[in-house]
Amino acid sequence: MIRDLSRMKKTAYRKLIPLTFFLKLFKDACLVLTVRAVLVKFKTDMTSPSVVDLLYHLGLLVFFSSIPQLLRFLYLHLRPTSLPKYHHGPSPWALITGASDSIGRAIACELASHNFNIVLHGRNPSKLETVRSSLKKACPKREIRIAVADAASPDWRSAVDSVTKVVHDIHLTVLVNHVGGLGGLVKPSLKCFEDTTHDEIEKLVNLNLRFPTQLTRALLPIFSEIHGPRLILNIGSIGGASGTPYSAVYSGCKAFNHVWSQALDAEMQYVTQHGIDVLTLLVGEVTQTAWNKAVSTITVPDATTMARAAVQKIGCGRAEVVGYWAHDVQYYLSRWLPERILGRLKVRIMQRIQTDNGKSK
């Protein structure tokens, strides 16, 4: 995402995390206090052994109910990757869309280091050549191809055809749908939906929704002809899990991607039985990208750290996961906020960012 949305996320999490911690504790406390109030109403002696025993076991229930979630969290973020199972055949390839910068470029480096040949997709030939040179220097034994196509173009059919022509003759086992974002398509970058022009909406839908969907559909026949495990990795956004004010079209596209990816995974596993795994990876704020050069922290990773976390999640057995552990904690806590409170806070944060942007101009 662009720098404005990155700043919004960072500010939002700083404000929301303490509040959500309080709300979760408040919810658990209300459960215990409700029981206590019932007991008081019926004039029950709060110091009697039976009441103390009841409150004790109620506390244990609240505590142990969190253990499965904790174990699931630890397994997800500590397990080894299952990427090697997709490395089969004489010369396995991986296609990464939006590989010119940020997470897409870092994922390409990760896959090349795991002995995959790489197809780099992007709209800027010079950037793609730079990435290819970097990959060849780091992994000289790997083959690198380039697919130039503008994913935001109205002529999305030509863009999809340009990519499929590059991969039609290779043993493609991994597809990473990373292309997306705002990409300078909306000016100003943050605006209400009613102020967004028809052309801006079309470009955002093409970039974030139509191109990855149509490209995946075009590549399925190629995937289906390949024997052995295959993977479609869709890079999503936490912002798509709950609507972001002043970025309604982007949020809507990402929400579509999440649900479409889950449905596609179910079809691949239980209907067509092609054996193609589909995984959606939700991403939060990431630094060291084309639009965010801030120093990374333990809660805000750089693109390389995020890519390693993404690769580590492959084969986790789930259709959708949050890629980085700190983002997972932030996402979990944000869901404890009441919907109306969360909505008001997001609007205020975005309005403050707009004001700050106006002062800086």
Side-chain angles (χ1 to χ4, degrees):
M1 295 178 64
I2 61 170
R3 183 180 302 156
D4 293 330
L5 290 180
S6 296
R7 290 173 54 199
M8 180 275 292
K9 289 179 182 178
K10 189 172 183 179
T11 305
Y13 287 138
R14 285 177 177 175
K15 293 178 178 293
L16 298 183
I17 286 176
L19 181 58
T20 49
F21 265 125
F22 169 78
L23 288 174
K24 187 175 187 313
L25 292 174
F26 179 74
K27 177 186 175 184
D28 293 339
C30 284
L31 177 62
V32 177
L33 291 175
T34 300
V35 174
R36 183 183 184 279
V38 171
L39 295 173
V40 170
K41 182 177 181 180
F42 288 96
K43 300 180 180 180
T44 305
D45 184 5
M46 297 299 297
T47 62
S48 67
S50 60
V51 173
V52 172
D53 188 61
L54 174 62
L55 295 177
Y56 170 76
H57 284 91
L58 184 61
L60 287 179
L61 177 63
V62 172
F63 173 76
F64 284 110
S65 65
S66 302
I67 291 180
Q69 291 179 320
L70 176 61
L71 294 177
R72 194 180 185 201
F73 172 85
L74 293 175
Y75 172 77
L76 175 65
H77 295 287
L78 296 178
R79 59 174 292 280
T81 182
S82 297
L83 179 62
K85 82 174 187 177
Y86 303 102
H87 189 280
H88 55 80
S91 181
W93 286 75
L95 165 62
I96 302 93
T97 65
S100 301
D101 295 298
S102 67
I103 301 173
R105 176 174 181 168
I107 289 178
C109 294
E110 280 295 308
L111 295 179
S113 68
H114 284 79
N115 299 322
F116 281 86
N117 299 311
I118 303 296
V119 179
L120 302 169
H121 159 263
R123 63 180 177 179
N124 189 318
S126 61
K127 283 187 175 181
L128 291 174
E129 286 293 345
T130 300
V131 178
R132 173 156 67 177
S133 299
S134 176
L135 286 179
K136 290 296 289 184
K137 184 177 180 180
C139 306
K141 295 183 179 180
R142 303 278 67 81
E143 294 184 58
I144 312 294
R145 293 186 181 183
I146 286 178
V148 180
D150 185 359
S153 169
D155 189 9
W156 58 266
R157 289 182 175 84
S158 296
V160 170
D161 289 342
S162 297
V163 178
T164 55
K165 288 177 182 178
V166 177
V167 302
H168 77 281
D169 61 339
I170 60 177
H171 189 74
L172 184 68
T173 63
V174 175
L175 165 64
V176 180
N177 282 316
H178 169 259
V179 69
L182 299 180
L185 302 178
V186 180
K187 296 182 180 180
S189 56
L190 302 177
K191 62 169 68 175
C192 286
F193 176 73
E194 63 180 330
D195 298 325
T196 309
T197 67
H198 176 273
D199 289 341
E200 289 173 338
I201 292 174
E202 285 298 302
K203 289 179 180 179
L204 286 172
V205 171
N206 286 338
L207 177 65
N208 293 283
L209 191 158
R210 184 170 286 117
F211 178 81
T213 305
Q214 294 288 359
L215 177 63
T216 302
R217 175 61 186 86
L219 293 177
L220 280 179
I222 299 176
F223 258 32
S224 300
E225 293 177 357
I226 297 173
H227 299 289
R230 287 137 293 164
L231 171 67
I232 298 174
L233 177 61
N234 295 321
I235 306 299
S237 170
I238 291 178
S242 62
T244 303
Y246 301 100
S247 187
V249 178
Y250 172 81
S251 298
C253 290
K254 287 302 181 183
F256 166 86
N257 289 339
H258 299 169
V259 179
W260 163 70
S261 186
Q262 291 176 341
L264 180 61
D265 177 67
E267 289 183 6
M268 294 296 102
Q269 299 300 321
Y270 309 117
V271 181
T272 62
Q273 296 183 345
H274 288 318
I276 301 174
D277 299 323
V278 183
L279 174 63
T280 300
L281 196 85
L282 303 185
V283 177
E285 183 185 3
V286 177
T287 65
Q288 298 303 306
T289 65
W291 49 84
N292 186 357
K293 301 297 184 182
V295 178
S296 62
T297 65
I298 191 171
T299 58
V300 183
D302 57 28
T304 300
T305 302
M306 186 67 245
R308 289 172 181 166
V311 171
Q312 180 263 327
K313 301 302 177 296
I314 292 174
C316 65
R318 294 162 60 177
E320 180 177 289
V321 297
V322 180
Y324 185 64
W325 70 269
H327 293 164
D328 200 359
V329 173
Q330 294 164 350
Y331 181 51
Y332 172 79
L333 293 175
S334 68
R335 287 181 292 174
W336 285 97
L337 280 173
E339 182 179 352
R340 292 301 180 185
I341 293 178
L342 181 61
R344 290 191 185 97
L345 285 174
K346 288 190 293 186
V347 168
R348 290 179 182 178
I349 291 168
M350 298 299 287
Q351 289 174 340
R352 187 176 299 112
I353 290 175
Q354 283 186 315
T355 302
D356 293 342
N357 288 345
K359 291 180 180 179
S360 63
K361 291 182 181 180

